[in-house]
């Protein structure tokens, strides 16, 4: 039986001082998910922990069957026209490419070409690689921190 691999990617920006709404305004991009500092981590549970940071998330928009390199390239294209805004945000925010990768049998690899890594560095983005054990694609993959 063939091994089913999956991958996902998102641009994730967090901050203790800049609101998720302000991040959207500065970048001119609407997020797929956003959470404001001080909001409940579980809105249905009034006793849940409150978020310590605002969180802004924009996913690559590609399916989990696409190669990790494709997710990264899509996110680099999205961020590329916003280098100055990202640089300004980096003073008060953590900027990350949050990447997930897994396979059913626990084996596998991916390649991120040097030119793509150079572009990520030029954008000032840190890379977080979340390697997942064998099993189905997690529902929370690359959505929340």
């Amino acid at each position: 039986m063939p091994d089913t691999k999956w991958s996902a990617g998102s641009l994730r920006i967090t901050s203790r001082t800049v609101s998720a709404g302000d991040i959207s305004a500065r970048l001119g991009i609407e997020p797929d998910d956003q959470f404001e500092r001080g909001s409940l981590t579980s809105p249905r549970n009034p006793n849940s922990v409150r978020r310590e940071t605002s969180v802004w998330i924009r996913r690559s928009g590609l399916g989990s069957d696409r190669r990790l390199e494709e997710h990264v390239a899509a996110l680099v294209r999205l961020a590329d026209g916003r280098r100055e805004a990202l640089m300004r945000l980096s003073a008060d925010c953590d900027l990350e490419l949050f990447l997930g990768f897994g396979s059913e049998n626990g084996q596998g690899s991916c390649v991120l070409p040097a030119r793509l890594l150079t572009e990520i560095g030029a954008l000032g983005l840190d890379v977080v690689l979340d390697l997942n054990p064998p099993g189905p694609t997690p529902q929370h993959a690359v959505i929340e921190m």
Side-chain angles (χ1 to χ4, degrees), residues 2-9 63-69 71 98-110 128-138 141-142:
D3 181 31
T4 302
K5 296 179 184 175
W6 66 267
S7 60
S64 63
D65 60 331
R66 303 291 285 274
R67 294 186 333 259
L68 189 62
E69 174 186 351
H71 289 278
F98 192 80
L99 309 173
F101 180 81
S103 69
E104 287 181 0
N105 73 11
Q107 297 292 313
S109 64
C110 60
V128 177
L129 182 56
D130 186 18
L131 300 175
N132 287 270
T137 305
V142 192

Side-chain angles (χ1 to χ4, degrees), residues 4-83:
T4 302
K5 296 179 184 175
W6 66 267
S7 60
S10 64
L11 175 59
R12 182 172 70 179
I13 302 174
T14 60
S15 179
R16 290 183 171 274
T17 58
V18 181
S19 72
D22 194 29
I23 293 168
S24 293
R26 291 187 195 188
L27 291 176
I29 304 172
E30 287 301 313
D32 291 308
D33 290 299
Q34 69 178 21
F35 308 95
E36 296 296 349
R37 182 175 187 232
S39 65
L40 296 172
T41 56
S42 178
R44 293 185 198 150
N45 178 0
N47 296 321
S48 67
V49 175
R50 296 200 175 268
R51 294 181 190 280
E52 294 181 11
T53 62
S54 294
V55 181
W56 185 97
I57 300 167
R58 177 65 180 254
R59 290 184 287 282
S60 71
L62 302 177
S64 63
D65 60 331
R66 303 291 285 274
R67 294 186 333 259
L68 189 62
E69 174 186 351
E70 293 175 272
H71 289 278
V72 173
L75 293 164
V76 165
R77 281 191 305 272
L78 174 73
D80 191 43
R82 295 163 174 89
R83 287 178 190 256

